[in-house]
Amino acid sequence: MKEQIVGMLITVLSGVAVYVISQWYTEFVIRPIQEYKNLKAKVAKLLILYAHYYSNPQTCESAENYPRWEAAAADLRELASEVAAFAEVKPFHLFVFFAIPTKKQLLNATSNLIGLSNSFFITKHAEERHYHHIEQCRTSVKKNMRINKSK
């Protein structure tokens, strides 16, 4: 009888241990990776969606005539803030270390997304440097967020 109680107790405790470990793994490994992948997908989507806006900037003087440019720039800036927020809460442990870029890379992507959002309107004197600037920002965002990275 005593052996049955001990066996039952071991079974219950091992079941609880498996449950706790699986919940920990889900919370601290799977969820952060999924959140990063969702954020990465959103960045990739908006880089493509708004490419025609930042590739064809309007002059600062005509900003009120281009509300879609202003809305797109605001969306990119909001996305930059989401990347920065994720960088601040990014878990730091071995299980997600290689799956998610470092905080430095995420903050670099943030600053380049802000650079792109600032490129929707330019002064007439900045047109020559504009295309090099946006390409540099876009490339840096893709590199730091690991977008289109070959495996």
Side-chain angles (χ1 to χ4, degrees):
M1 183 71 166
K2 194 173 188 181
E3 293 171 356
Q4 288 178 334
I5 293 175
V6 170
M8 199 167 42
L9 188 60
I10 289 173
T11 303
V12 169
L13 289 176
S14 64
V16 169
V18 167
Y19 176 76
V20 168
I21 290 169
S22 67
Q23 290 300 308
W24 177 87
Y25 186 77
T26 300
E27 186 67 29
F28 294 106
V29 177
I30 301 297
R31 185 171 291 156
I33 292 171
Q34 286 177 333
E35 288 175 5
Y36 170 69
K37 286 186 176 188
N38 289 336
L39 184 61
K40 177 180 168 179
K42 190 173 181 181
V43 169
K45 175 187 171 186
L46 290 185
L47 283 177
I48 293 169
L49 185 65
Y50 294 144
H52 66 287
Y53 292 122
Y54 59 74
S55 295
N56 298 302
Q58 303 305 314
T59 61
C60 293
E61 297 80 30
S62 64
E64 66 276 351
N65 297 330
Y66 295 95
R68 289 185 301 189
W69 267 256
E70 289 178 330
D75 283 351
L76 266 188
R77 187 169 289 272
E78 184 176 334
L79 180 62
S81 67
E82 288 179 39
V83 173
F86 183 82
E88 291 301 320
V89 297
K90 175 190 179 274
F92 184 75
H93 48 78
L94 187 60
F95 297 110
V96 297
F97 186 70
F98 295 106
I100 300 174
T102 64
K103 182 176 180 177
K104 182 179 178 181
Q105 289 173 314
L106 292 170
L107 293 177
N108 192 323
T110 297
S111 65
N112 282 288
L113 282 169
I114 291 171
L116 277 177
S117 75
N118 291 340
S119 298
F120 285 62
F121 297 96
I122 58 172
T123 62
K124 291 185 179 185
H125 305 293
E127 289 180 23
E128 302 161 0
R129 296 173 291 158
H130 177 74
Y131 296 106
H132 176 70
H133 170 73
I134 63 168
E135 186 58 31
Q136 184 180 19
C137 286
R138 195 165 49 99
T139 302
S140 181
V141 169
K142 286 180 159 187
K143 177 184 171 196
N144 287 299
M145 294 288 296
R146 299 179 186 164
I147 297 173
N148 295 337
K149 182 180 178 185
S150 60
K151 294 183 178 184

